[in-house]
Amino acid sequence: MLRRPKPTDSEADLLREQEHFLTSGAPSAACMVRRPDKRRGDGGDPEGAHSRENEGNQKDVVTMEELPDQLPSLTPAPPKKSRFKASRVTFEDEDAGERLDRHDTHISAVLSRIVERDTSCAPVSLPVFTGLAFPKVLHRSETSSQVPSSSSKGKRSIFARQIAAQRLKEDKTLKPSSADAPQNPEAREQILPSDAADCSRLVSGEGLQGPDSSGETLKIHRENQAKLQVMSKAEILEEQKKLLSQLDPRLVEFIRSRKAQSALSPGSPSERTAADTCNIEDPPDKGAESRESCSDAVLCPSPEEVEMEGETEVKSPPLTEEDLPVKPQKEWVHMDTLEPEKLEWMRDLPSPRKKGTKKAMQARFDFAGTLIPPSEDLPTHLGLHHHGEEPERAGYSLQELFLLSRSQLIQQRSLALNTLACILTKARAGEYQSVLKGSVTSTLLDAGLLFLIRFALDDSIEGVMSAAVHALKALLVCTEDEECLDCTFSWFRGLASFPLLPSSQEEEDEEDTGLDESMRETAKEKEERKSDYDVARQDVVKGLLRMKLLPRLRYILEVVRPSPRVVQDVLHILTRVARHSSSSATQVLDCPRLMETVMSEFLPTSWKSPSSLSPLSVYGHPLANAMKLLRVLATSGRHACARLLNSLGVRERLSCLLSAEPSELLMEPNEALRITTEAYRLWAVAAAYGQAGQLYIDLYPALVRTLQGFRSILSTPDPLELHRLSALLALLTQVTHTAGCHLELQAGMVRAQGEECPPPPPVSWGHVTGLQPLLLGHLKGVVKGLDNPVQKDSVLTLIPAYLVYLQAYYHQLSRQTCFKPVETLQDLELLTSEVLLPLMCHGVVQGLMKNLRSSSVVCSLQSSPLGPEMMSSLPGLACSGWRDRPGPVVPSSPFPLLTGLGLIFETITEIHKGLTRKFSGLLLSEPVIGYLHSCSHATPTLSHSRSWLLRHEHHVLYLLLRLARRLVPIEPEVAEHASLYHQVALVLLPWLLPGSEYLAHELLSTVIFSKDFISEGHSGGPEAVELGELRLHTQQQTSPSLQTVGALLREACTQLPSIRGCYLTHLAHLEQFVLTSRDVFLGRNPWIGSHLLPELTGPTLPSDWPFIPLISLYERTGVSDGGGLAVEELPHGSLQAVTRCLQWLLLLEVWREEALKVVLPIAKLARLSCVFLCSSDLFLERPVQRLTWGLFRLLTRESRLDSLDLDVPPPGLASFQDLYTALLAQYEAVSFGDRLFGCWVLLPLQRRYSASMRLAVFGEHVGMLRSLGVTLEQLSVPIERFTSPPEDSLPLLRLYFRSLVTGTLKLSWCPVLYVVALSHINSFIFSQDAAVQEVEAARLSMLRKIYYLADEVLRNHLLLFRLPRQHLQLGFDMYEQLPPIRAKRLETVLGLQDDKGD
């Protein structure tokens, strides 16, 4: 066996071992193979036998056993591909030489022009002889005499500069003298630069190796200069255009950059050009880097701009050595040459512009988010100046802040995020809208701010993470919005709120078009398919939830344990997320360990007294914002509230906080008041579901003790104390409602007999009756406190809460078995005489009522353009600055008091009808009448920022109408304003928001269709309409069906109960929503599922609700996709439903025209067209015929025709043209020449409407002219609207002419269109206006054909037509003979024809 060599072996030992190995014949551990050379294409030989001639081209490769030839790749990388190979097409049998010749076509021309440079005259310099043994050492101190480095191109060594200096000395004798400056004509001064004769900017001579390179360069430059001198300005510009068209654009850009560099002197600073805008279209959802680059780049195209007014920019002089604060020394390395462009930053900043400029400028902000005017000169020690763009201006732009937020320095990242937070806060408040273009918040979101903040939240540095939390809170949370919601909590239904969801915009997916409904993607699948960027662009909160915001916030609270400010910001953010929707609130509850951390750290059951007013940590202490978060979560649904009470220990926290007085809690006094207020509000929300009833029984003594301290609260009015007392009253109101349902639930369990039924709450009616005397005494004392100026504001805050409580008590009392009518009536009389009437007549309340219109959201004009910034992806309540402007929430607003009075009046008049007259003064007061008049003409806009306030104002209007319903039949003075109340009810109905379906049902049932409110029906209204018709009509005979509006109105008034039943039947699909809304408004708490109102998708009823029976009938039976009717016969009761609908529409059009003004005239026409489209004979029924005639006359009144614009698409339709095409097809199929249907078809053919509809009649549906027999008397539209101005559509004129000549259109068949066609053809053929050749040829052709017509009557009509006359038998007036001008034109045309014939 062979042994391994040892270190001690000698050379002889190694040779002996080698010989032993060779004789043994054992295989070697390594073998040598020859690999082929891939570059030469040689073949390989595995045995290593190669020919001798190829040995020189081979490589010896040593391979080891058990080792692969190539290293394994760690990642499956794709094979490398050439970028140019894909663009080349080659064939296997193609010769490479032929391919080279084909592509390189100019190689011969290039080679033929190579000329060797003549060096015979070039001077030859020999080395200088010296006696030194070695070359002299070059010292830096001697380099000053050499050629400076700046004079040569690029960076050169000291030795190269010495050689250049030597050559410069040698060339002095050979350098030619300067030539005379060429003469520059004035015509070319603007084209040639002033320094054009000095040297060439393009030809530098670097490629010339000889010593005379500079001379050659100058020679070339002079030749070019001479050519330019002899050329004119036009020739120069022409040659320039030719060159620019031939040269590569990149080369042109390079030449221009060289010119710009040489044009600037070395000492002058170069002007900064605007940064190239980079539009990144890819959504930033593929990693952190792409997101951050997007946030930086997308901001550039749309910087916030400040409008200034103008001055030109002054350039600074070149920098000299004297301007430097520190003079450079010779001994300093690389400081021998002054480089001004690198020392510009040491120059003093130029003063900011004193005047403005018309151009927009980039907005700059200080660290507090304040916008800095461009003309403001701030000191540099503030740290607002930097070396970016516009160094003379203080402040940072949004782009620079984005750049800083991605810095590697922690302080810069924190500073940028904190500054962005301040900017967001001010932007959301609307502070920039008067000085900046566009929306700052939208610009930041489009630039990727959301992703920037989300990445910063993951930063490991606590300071950066805290700044990110603060920025996120500034983006999501508006503190003033939350304050307004807290102020309205104790109002009627104030604990409910709309979800802050963006308006849903359904986007039709192209992939789903044409697919069956079952095969289409669901909304959830589409949502999952979207990227984070797309989701966040539509909904900011949903995008944050998708980016795992909640687990990160939980980590910050649980692990990082940040400062108190960050904790408060996180709680604010969670509250805003919970307000987004019920699903978002559920995600907050379901986030692992998030709520457990909040409960254990910020709502503990025991805690120590804080050591200072501003502790370093809030962990282990109760926080009011944490309690508020629980309250908002509980609002999302009864199941969420039950989870909080039972699983998370909220019940124990409430007992701990509310069993003692705030002063007894080991907390700061104000924080103790805030947290107990939030605890009462959370308890009120739970009680509004019928929950936490046992807690009321347990804490009853503590509640009574708090109520007994009422006097001390009024004596020292503290806003926090008032909010706490209001929250307690809201709690007692909800507990009263819950106790009132105990008896009903108990009886329901007995009737259920084992079936599922909600259990009765622990609290019963007996538990709440003892509080009523105490609170009634409070109310009496509060009313007396109105006389005290000190207590007036606090008293006005509390009175509405007391009134709402008393309404709940008496409302539920009347439904209890212990109800004693006599005693209750006496109590109500005392309450009315001692409290309510004095309160209503008090001077303070009367003064408050005068603010009704100024505080109204309905009556206010459109929101100011300087209001808060609102974004569709992040809706808010727009309450910024609410204390400084009038509105329903300010202390001077009468709406909360008016709501409380309306509630208690409604309940009292329901129980004690004898007291109804005593409250008439409220409806007859001048402020209320004026307010109702303003509301009847208002058109409020619906949005998230207005909906939460509109809801409370709708309650006020509804309660006033309910009071009017009881007073109108019995009080003559109130009955005088019945039409006003009816008008208000009609406009209020389509305003009502989701969640108010019960109010809409009550208005429809009691007010809308009530005879008492339509006073015209029983006070001579129909007769007055008939007299008006007789006065308007001429003495000539007209169609009898046109004069029946008065009789139709009289019949409609008698059918009001049937009309009401018809509409309630067609609104039956809202029954479940009505029942849910009824439970909320009547205080049936155990049946309420959520206090989060339905999503704000629009009003409860559409604005065109009076047309609902017609629309629903058309949807069931109308024209199908194939063109025919969907059903053969109408459903049972359809005729009666259509009749009732038309009666109601006629009544509204005559007496309540203002109520239908929100429905466009074109929408009315489109809806009424359903009468003709939903059946083949419905419009022929006599009741329908008479009512539709009446409506047609009202729609075609002279004052209405001008407002009928058919170019606007009707709501729900793509265009009116589609509807009109269906009407034409239906007329041809089933009209039987009906005059009403004919008038309907003729109406869109007026001259001012689109010619496409007239083309459809005379083109595709020309056969209908045979049966369109409407006379000019039956048509209520003046014929001049069809004939004036003259028609200018040549295709339509040809169709008119063809239909007349072929006999398709006759006077006896279609009188109206016959007159129309005659008028337009006559105007066309005798027109003297200049026209194009085609139109003129058509005129001549028509005139000749008319003259040679065989039908003499038609020829006379066409030639002698004068004017349309609606009262004449023919419908138009005729000349006795052609006027001279027309006769001469006719002779000219005929003469031309004769000449051509000859």
Side-chain angles (χ1 to χ4, degrees):
M1 182 176 178
L2 299 175
R3 68 180 184 86
R4 296 178 61 85
K6 297 180 180 179
T8 57
D9 290 348
S10 63
E11 185 177 355
D13 296 334
L14 293 177
L15 292 174
R16 188 168 51 253
E17 289 294 333
Q18 179 183 357
E19 184 179 359
H20 183 253
F21 170 73
L22 293 175
T23 57
S24 64
S28 61
C31 63
M32 184 179 69
V33 297
R34 296 189 181 277
R35 287 284 180 88
D37 193 346
K38 294 182 180 179
R39 294 169 295 179
R40 299 177 178 272
D42 298 338
D45 187 358
E47 298 179 358
H50 301 278
S51 61
R52 292 184 177 272
E53 60 270 19
N54 294 334
E55 284 184 359
N57 298 331
Q58 302 293 335
K59 285 187 176 181
D60 294 340
V61 181
V62 178
T63 61
M64 303 294 293
E65 290 185 355
E66 300 178 355
L67 288 177
D69 294 341
Q70 295 181 354
L71 291 176
S73 60
L74 298 179
T75 57
K80 294 183 179 180
K81 295 183 180 179
S82 172
R83 292 185 300 168
F84 311 101
K85 187 176 181 181
S87 61
R88 296 195 295 263
V89 180
T90 57
F91 302 93
E92 293 182 357
D93 56 348
E94 185 179 6
D95 185 33
E98 295 179 358
R99 187 164 66 251
L100 180 64
D101 293 339
R102 184 170 63 254
H103 289 288
D104 299 337
T105 56
H106 298 290
I107 189 67
S108 59
V110 173
L111 293 177
S112 63
R113 294 176 185 172
I114 297 178
V115 179
E116 184 177 1
R117 185 165 58 88
D118 185 12
T119 59
S120 59
C121 298
V124 179
S125 60
L126 298 177
V128 179
F129 292 95
T130 177
L132 299 177
F134 296 97
K136 182 182 178 181
V137 178
L138 182 65
H139 295 278
R140 290 193 181 94
S141 59
E142 300 176 5
T143 60
S144 59
S145 62
Q146 311 296 339
V147 178
S149 60
S150 60
S151 64
S152 58
K153 302 296 182 182
K155 185 177 180 181
R156 304 183 68 179
S157 65
I158 298 176
F159 179 73
R161 300 207 309 266
Q162 184 183 15
I163 298 300
Q166 182 180 354
R167 287 181 177 178
L168 188 62
K169 292 178 182 179
E170 294 174 356
D171 293 344
K172 283 184 177 179
T173 58
L174 302 175
K175 198 168 188 178
S177 59
S178 59
D180 297 335
Q183 296 178 358
N184 295 330
E186 295 181 0
R188 292 188 293 271
E189 282 184 356
Q190 297 178 356
I191 302 176
L192 301 178
S194 60
D195 59 343
D198 296 342
C199 62
S200 174
R201 293 196 182 101
L202 299 181
V203 184
S204 61
E206 290 183 3
L208 301 178
Q209 299 290 334
D212 197 20
S213 60
S214 59
E216 291 289 339
T217 303
L218 188 60
K219 182 179 179 181
I220 295 172
H221 178 61
R222 285 177 176 176
E223 291 177 359
N224 296 336
Q225 230 13 56
K227 288 182 180 180
L228 288 173
Q229 293 295 333
V230 299
M231 295 173 67
S232 64
K233 179 178 179 181
E235 291 174 343
I236 293 175
L237 293 176
E238 183 179 356
E239 290 296 327
Q240 184 186 32
K241 292 181 181 178
K242 188 182 299 183
L243 278 175
L244 291 177
S245 63
Q246 294 174 354
L247 293 177
D248 187 0
R250 290 176 294 180
L251 179 60
V252 175
E253 187 65 27
F254 168 72
I255 294 173
R256 286 176 174 170
S257 65
R258 288 284 299 268
K259 178 180 178 181
Q261 291 175 5
S262 60
L264 293 173
S265 63
S268 62
S270 60
E271 296 182 358
R272 297 294 303 269
T273 59
D276 295 337
T277 58
C278 176
N279 294 323
I280 298 180
E281 297 181 358
D282 296 332
D285 57 348
K286 296 182 180 180
E289 295 181 1
S290 63
R291 290 190 182 111
E292 290 187 4
S293 63
C294 176
S295 66
D296 185 18
V298 179
L299 189 62
C300 299
S302 57
E304 299 308 311
E305 298 170 340
V306 184
E307 284 293 338
M308 303 292 296
E309 299 187 348
E311 117 189 326
T312 58
E313 186 175 352
V314 180
K315 294 184 179 180
S316 56
L319 187 70
T320 60
E321 187 172 347
E322 287 74 13
D323 297 334
L324 297 178
V326 179
K327 304 297 185 291
Q329 304 295 327
K330 286 186 177 181
E331 291 76 12
W332 294 356
V333 180
H334 300 308
M335 289 296 292
D336 54 344
T337 303
L338 187 67
E339 297 179 283
E341 64 274 5
K342 296 182 180 179
L343 300 175
E344 276 295 320
W345 65 274
M346 300 180 66
R347 181 195 295 270
D348 289 339
L349 289 175
S351 58
R353 60 179 77 241
K354 299 302 180 184
K355 299 180 181 178
T357 174
K358 291 273 185 178
K359 69 177 183 179
M361 301 185 67
Q362 199 171 41
R364 294 189 173 276
F365 307 88
D366 63 8
F367 299 132
T370 305
L371 186 68
I372 301 178
S375 59
E376 187 167 352
D377 190 6
L378 296 177
T380 56
H381 70 269
L382 297 178
L384 296 173
H385 293 81
H386 51 84
H387 307 296
E389 296 182 359
E390 302 174 318
E392 71 278 6
R393 289 187 57 193
Y396 287 81
S397 66
L398 297 180
Q399 180 184 358
E400 291 163 352
L401 289 172
F402 264 63
L403 188 64
L404 276 182
S405 66
R406 293 159 44 222
S407 170
Q408 293 184 355
L409 297 178
I410 299 171
Q411 292 84 352
Q412 289 184 345
R413 297 204 301 271
S414 301
L415 180 68
L417 290 170
N418 282 320
T419 306
L420 285 172
C422 297
I423 293 173
L424 283 169
T425 302
K426 293 180 180 294
R428 295 296 301 274
E431 295 187 16
Y432 302 136
Q433 291 200 358
S434 61
V435 290
L436 293 184
K437 289 182 179 178
S439 169
V440 177
T441 313
S442 298
T443 302
L444 289 172
L445 287 177
D446 293 340
L449 174 70
L450 202 63
F451 298 93
L452 179 69
I453 295 175
R454 181 61 189 89
F455 300 148
L457 284 175
D458 293 334
D459 202 301
S460 58
I461 307 301
E462 184 177 349
V464 178
M465 179 206 63
S466 301
V469 171
H470 186 50
L472 184 59
K473 184 249 182 182
L475 174 65
L476 295 181
V477 182
C478 180
T479 307
E480 291 179 293
D481 287 359
E482 295 293 331
E483 290 176 359
C484 282
L485 288 174
D486 292 343
C487 288
T488 59
F489 183 86
S490 58
W491 292 14
F492 175 68
R493 295 294 304 145
L495 53 83
S497 61
F498 285 103
L500 295 180
L501 280 168
S503 300
S504 57
Q505 298 177 353
E506 292 294 333
E507 299 179 359
E508 186 68 24
D509 199 339
E510 295 181 359
E511 300 177 0
D512 292 344
T513 55
L515 292 179
D516 188 67
E517 192 69 28
S518 59
M519 299 179 63
R520 294 187 179 184
E521 283 186 332
T522 62
K524 185 177 181 181
E525 291 172 344
K526 290 181 181 180
E527 191 73 25
E528 292 174 352
R529 197 159 50 90
K530 289 181 180 179
S531 64
D532 292 350
Y533 175 77
D534 293 331
V535 174
R537 186 167 52 87
Q538 296 177 359
D539 191 337
V540 171
V541 175
K542 188 179 291 185
L544 286 170
L545 292 175
R546 186 161 177 176
M547 289 187 280
K548 308 297 182 185
L549 173 69
L550 296 179
R552 183 58 185 172
L553 294 181
R554 189 270 311 160
Y555 175 83
I556 292 173
L557 292 178
E558 184 182 22
V559 179
V560 180
R561 301 174 73 88
S563 62
R565 173 189 168 185
V566 179
V567 171
Q568 300 284 3
D569 288 346
V570 170
L571 293 176
H572 280 298
I573 293 170
L574 291 174
T575 303
R576 175 60 179 84
V577 171
R579 288 196 186 277
H580 175 265
S581 61
S582 58
S583 61
S584 301
T586 304
Q587 291 186 52
V588 174
L589 283 172
D590 292 340
C591 182
R593 301 200 309 277
L594 174 60
M595 293 309 301
E596 287 79 1
T597 302
V598 172
M599 298 300 296
S600 61
E601 299 292 349
F602 310 119
L603 287 174
T605 54
S606 61
W607 61 92
K608 297 180 180 179
S609 177
S611 56
S612 63
L613 294 178
S614 56
L616 298 178
S617 175
V618 292
Y619 281 79
H621 295 84
L623 295 180
N625 286 326
M627 188 65 72
K628 182 176 181 177
L629 170 62
L630 300 183
R631 188 243 298 178
V632 176
L633 289 172
T635 307
S636 64
R638 64 181 307 110
H639 298 294
C641 184
R643 285 179 61 182
L644 292 173
L645 290 174
N646 302 322
S647 302
L648 294 176
V650 171
R651 197 187 308 271
E652 291 76 12
R653 270 75 174 182
L654 292 177
S655 300
C656 179
L657 291 169
L658 299 178
S659 58
E661 289 294 322
S663 58
E664 300 174 1
L665 300 175
L666 300 178
M667 300 172 63
E668 191 267 329
N670 289 338
E671 184 66 17
L673 288 174
R674 279 192 287 266
I675 195 169
T676 51
T677 301
E678 287 299 335
Y680 280 131
R681 290 171 178 166
L682 172 58
W683 191 1
V685 173
Y689 293 122
Q691 300 173 0
Q694 186 61 42
L695 190 62
Y696 170 79
I697 300 174
D698 297 339
L699 295 182
Y700 184 82
L703 298 177
V704 173
R705 185 172 63 251
T706 302
L707 290 174
Q708 289 174 346
F710 161 77
R711 298 295 178 186
S712 60
I713 296 176
L714 285 184
S715 60
T716 57
D718 182 7
L720 294 178
E721 288 281 5
L722 294 176
H723 286 311
R724 178 168 171 265
L725 182 55
S726 299
L728 175 56
L729 292 173
L731 165 65
L732 297 179
T733 302
Q734 298 302 329
V735 171
T736 303
H737 279 303
T738 301
C741 300
H742 178 91
L743 191 62
E744 184 179 355
L745 286 172
Q746 199 170 22
M749 286 191 66
V750 175
R751 292 193 303 269
Q753 296 180 353
E755 297 180 4
E756 186 176 355
C757 180
V763 57
S764 62
W765 187 250
H767 292 109
V768 299
T769 53
L771 293 177
Q772 188 266 345
L774 177 61
L775 294 177
L776 182 58
H778 284 185
L779 179 59
K780 293 178 181 179
V782 165
V783 172
K784 294 179 181 179
L786 286 173
D787 298 326
N788 188 347
V790 178
Q791 299 180 0
K792 182 185 70 174
D793 292 337
S794 58
V795 161
L796 289 175
T797 304
L798 293 175
I799 287 178
Y802 280 105
L803 293 176
V804 172
Y805 166 79
L806 289 177
Q807 182 270 338
Y809 177 82
Y810 286 111
H811 173 74
Q812 297 295 342
L813 175 63
S814 61
R815 287 159 175 75
Q816 305 303 315
T817 56
C818 60
F819 175 60
K820 299 177 180 179
V822 177
E823 294 181 4
T824 304
L825 295 180
Q826 292 175 354
D827 292 342
L828 292 177
E829 291 174 358
L830 288 175
L831 175 64
T832 302
S833 60
E834 295 180 1
V835 179
L836 298 180
L837 292 180
L839 175 63
M840 192 172 60
C841 300
H842 199 281
V844 174
V845 176
Q846 292 296 321
L848 209 62
M849 290 296 179
K850 295 179 181 178
N851 300 329
L852 261 176
R853 272 188 283 189
S854 61
S855 303
S856 169
V857 182
V858 171
C859 301
S860 64
L861 300 176
Q862 298 295 330
S863 57
S864 172
L866 302 181
E869 284 188 5
M870 299 301 299
M871 294 150 293
S872 59
S873 60
L874 190 63
L877 306 184
C879 295
S880 299
W882 61 277
R883 292 183 179 86
D884 303 326
R885 62 174 187 262
V889 191
V890 296
S892 61
S893 168
F895 280 99
L897 178 60
L898 198 55
T899 305
L901 288 174
L903 285 170
I904 193 66
F905 290 169
E906 167 67 14
T907 303
I908 291 176
T909 53
E910 184 180 0
I911 300 173
H912 194 330
K913 295 180 174 53
L915 296 175
T916 305
R917 293 177 183 269
K918 294 184 178 295
F919 306 131
S920 61
L922 179 62
L923 286 179
L924 295 175
S925 63
E926 184 178 349
V928 173
I929 293 294
Y931 168 66
L932 293 178
H933 272 293
S934 300
C935 289
S936 64
H937 297 88
T939 54
T941 56
L942 181 61
S943 62
H944 274 286
S945 60
R946 300 167 66 94
S947 60
W948 71 285
L949 291 174
L950 283 173
R951 187 172 64 94
H952 293 293
E953 191 162 352
H954 294 166
H955 294 164
V956 172
L957 289 171
Y958 169 77
L959 293 170
L960 290 175
L961 292 174
R962 292 286 293 180
L963 182 60
R965 182 185 73 89
R966 300 187 184 278
L967 283 169
V968 165
I970 62 175
E971 187 64 39
E973 293 185 18
V974 178
E976 292 178 3
H977 303 282
S979 59
L980 171 63
Y981 304 139
H982 192 243
Q983 177 75 23
V984 172
L986 287 172
V987 298
L988 174 63
L989 188 62
W991 293 349
L992 293 175
L993 303 176
S996 301
E997 292 83 3
Y998 175 70
L999 305 187
H1001 179 270
E1002 287 298 302
L1003 287 177
L1004 289 170
S1005 302
T1006 59
V1007 179
I1008 298 292
F1009 301 104
S1010 174
K1011 296 179 181 179
D1012 297 328
F1013 286 90
I1014 307 177
S1015 57
E1016 296 86 351
H1018 50 78
S1019 61
E1023 290 76 10
V1025 173
E1026 289 178 339
L1027 290 174
E1029 289 180 345
L1030 291 175
R1031 185 175 65 252
L1032 290 174
H1033 283 286
T1034 61
Q1035 299 297 325
Q1036 297 198 0
Q1037 181 67 27
T1038 58
S1039 175
S1041 59
L1042 299 182
Q1043 298 185 12
T1044 57
V1045 174
L1048 293 175
L1049 287 173
R1050 192 180 299 108
E1051 183 180 356
C1053 291
T1054 61
Q1055 297 294 333
L1056 283 175
S1058 300
I1059 296 174
R1060 176 181 59 192
C1062 170
Y1063 279 91
L1064 291 177
T1065 302
H1066 281 85
L1067 295 175
H1069 62 282
L1070 298 175
E1071 180 181 4
Q1072 187 57 46
F1073 298 100
V1074 171
L1075 294 177
T1076 302
S1077 177
R1078 181 198 65 179
D1079 293 338
V1080 171
F1081 278 91
L1082 298 185
R1084 294 166 54 84
N1085 289 349
W1087 288 272
I1088 296 176
S1090 173
H1091 291 294
L1092 200 63
L1093 296 169
E1095 183 181 351
L1096 189 63
T1097 56
T1100 301
L1101 292 179
S1103 58
D1104 60 349
W1105 67 269
F1107 298 88
I1108 282 180
L1110 276 178
I1111 298 173
S1112 60
L1113 181 63
Y1114 172 74
E1115 290 175 349
R1116 285 185 294 166
T1117 63
V1119 177
S1120 61
D1121 296 337
L1125 293 177
V1127 297
E1128 295 183 358
E1129 61 180 31
L1130 292 174
H1132 178 70
S1134 299
L1135 175 60
Q1136 184 180 7
V1138 171
T1139 303
R1140 300 293 176 257
C1141 177
L1142 295 176
Q1143 286 176 335
W1144 180 243
L1145 289 171
L1146 185 68
L1147 190 148
L1148 293 179
E1149 283 289 344
V1150 176
W1151 290 330
R1152 298 291 182 267
E1153 182 180 353
E1154 193 71 20
L1156 285 180
K1157 70 176 182 180
V1158 292
V1159 185
L1160 296 176
I1162 187 174
K1164 297 178 183 178
L1165 185 66
R1167 303 299 187 258
L1168 288 173
S1169 299
C1170 297
V1171 173
F1172 305 99
L1173 294 175
C1174 63
S1175 173
S1176 60
D1177 57 355
L1178 178 64
F1179 61 92
L1180 297 175
E1181 297 290 342
R1182 181 167 178 78
V1184 176
Q1185 182 96 183
R1186 294 171 61 207
L1187 290 166
T1188 312
W1189 266 119
L1191 288 169
F1192 180 77
R1193 285 197 53 219
L1194 293 173
L1195 290 176
T1196 55
R1197 284 177 292 181
E1198 193 70 23
S1199 59
R1200 294 290 191 86
L1201 282 174
D1202 294 332
S1203 61
L1204 181 61
D1205 185 6
L1206 301 185
D1207 295 331
V1208 179
L1213 296 176
S1215 67
F1216 185 79
Q1217 177 71 33
D1218 300 337
L1219 176 66
Y1220 189 67
T1221 302
L1223 280 172
L1224 293 179
Q1226 184 78 344
Y1227 183 87
E1228 281 188 307
V1230 301
S1231 70
F1232 300 105
D1234 181 67
R1235 300 295 187 264
L1236 172 63
F1237 204 166
C1239 289
W1240 215 267
V1241 170
L1242 287 172
L1243 183 62
L1245 301 182
Q1246 297 176 58
R1247 176 63 182 86
R1248 71 189 189 97
Y1249 298 136
S1250 173
S1252 59
M1253 289 181 281
R1254 299 190 289 278
L1255 287 169
V1257 172
F1258 284 89
E1260 303 170 9
H1261 303 276
V1262 68
M1264 64 181 291
L1265 300 177
R1266 178 68 177 81
S1267 58
L1268 198 57
V1270 179
T1271 64
L1272 274 70
E1273 293 84 1
Q1274 292 171 337
L1275 184 67
S1276 58
V1277 182
I1279 191 63
E1280 288 76 16
R1281 289 183 173 268
F1282 294 87
T1283 60
S1284 179
E1287 185 63 63
D1288 55 2
S1289 172
L1290 185 58
L1292 183 57
L1293 288 167
R1294 286 172 173 163
L1295 290 176
Y1296 284 161
F1297 184 72
R1298 186 179 67 180
S1299 61
L1300 288 171
V1301 172
T1302 59
T1304 308
L1305 180 60
K1306 292 186 178 181
L1307 180 62
S1308 58
W1309 292 349
C1310 187
V1312 175
L1313 293 184
Y1314 184 83
V1315 175
V1316 172
L1318 282 181
S1319 175
H1320 289 305
I1321 294 295
N1322 182 269
S1323 300
F1324 178 69
I1325 61 177
F1326 290 114
S1327 175
Q1328 301 296 322
D1329 298 336
V1332 296
Q1333 184 177 359
E1334 181 185 5
V1335 175
E1336 188 63 29
R1339 286 176 182 171
L1340 299 178
S1341 175
M1342 283 187 189
L1343 191 54
R1344 285 193 297 267
K1345 291 178 182 179
I1346 290 172
Y1347 182 78
Y1348 291 111
L1349 273 177
D1351 188 348
E1352 186 175 351
V1353 175
L1354 179 59
R1355 182 181 60 185
N1356 291 334
H1357 286 177
L1358 287 170
L1359 292 177
L1360 301 177
F1361 180 88
R1362 186 174 184 178
L1363 287 174
R1365 300 292 185 188
Q1366 204 156 355
H1367 61 278
L1368 295 180
Q1369 183 178 1
L1370 289 177
F1372 56 91
D1373 191 11
M1374 296 176 60
Y1375 292 107
E1376 294 182 0
Q1377 59 181 3
L1378 276 177
I1381 297 179
R1382 295 190 175 190
K1384 184 176 180 181
R1385 176 173 176 78
L1386 181 61
E1387 291 175 1
T1388 304
V1389 172
L1390 295 177
L1392 289 175
Q1393 186 181 15
D1394 293 339
D1395 293 341
K1396 290 181 180 178
D1398 295 339

